[in-house]
Amino acid sequence: MTACEFCNDDYDMAFEVAAEGAVHVFDSPECAARQLAPVCTNGRSHTPGYGLQAEGQFFCCAHCAHRQRFAQLVDRT
């Protein structure tokens, strides 16, 4: 069995994710998202899906981007 690098659970159906030149092992999509997805600049959540970016900062939604003075950003979903 292979241990998940986020929660350390040994799971016989673990899977690999290749990202930025490295291979990671996880037991669930949730662990993969918690480990690999960028965190909102406001520090509230991970942005595994349709996050926004501006000047090297990541945001989970337009509301958080607007709080950091990026009024031009809008949600894409």
Side-chain angles (χ1 to χ4, degrees):
M1 289 199 276
T2 305
C4 173
E5 72 179 60
F6 181 76
C7 71
N8 206 32
D9 181 34
D10 278 332
Y11 185 52
D12 64 339
M13 294 177 61
F15 58 93
E16 295 180 348
V17 175
E20 298 182 354
V23 176
H24 305 274
V25 178
F26 300 104
D27 67 345
S28 70
E30 293 81 10
C31 285
R34 297 271 319 240
Q35 183 77 15
L36 299 176
V39 176
C40 178
T41 296
N42 286 326
R44 297 202 184 333
S45 63
H46 293 269
T47 57
Y50 300 100
L52 304 169
Q53 294 183 55
E55 297 180 13
Q57 298 180 58
F58 292 91
F59 303 98
C60 61
C61 62
H63 174 77
C64 284
H66 296 171
R67 291 180 63 196
Q68 297 294 324
R69 310 272 190 262
F70 293 104
Q72 75 279 13
L73 296 179
V74 296
D75 288 322
R76 295 184 280 179
T77 58

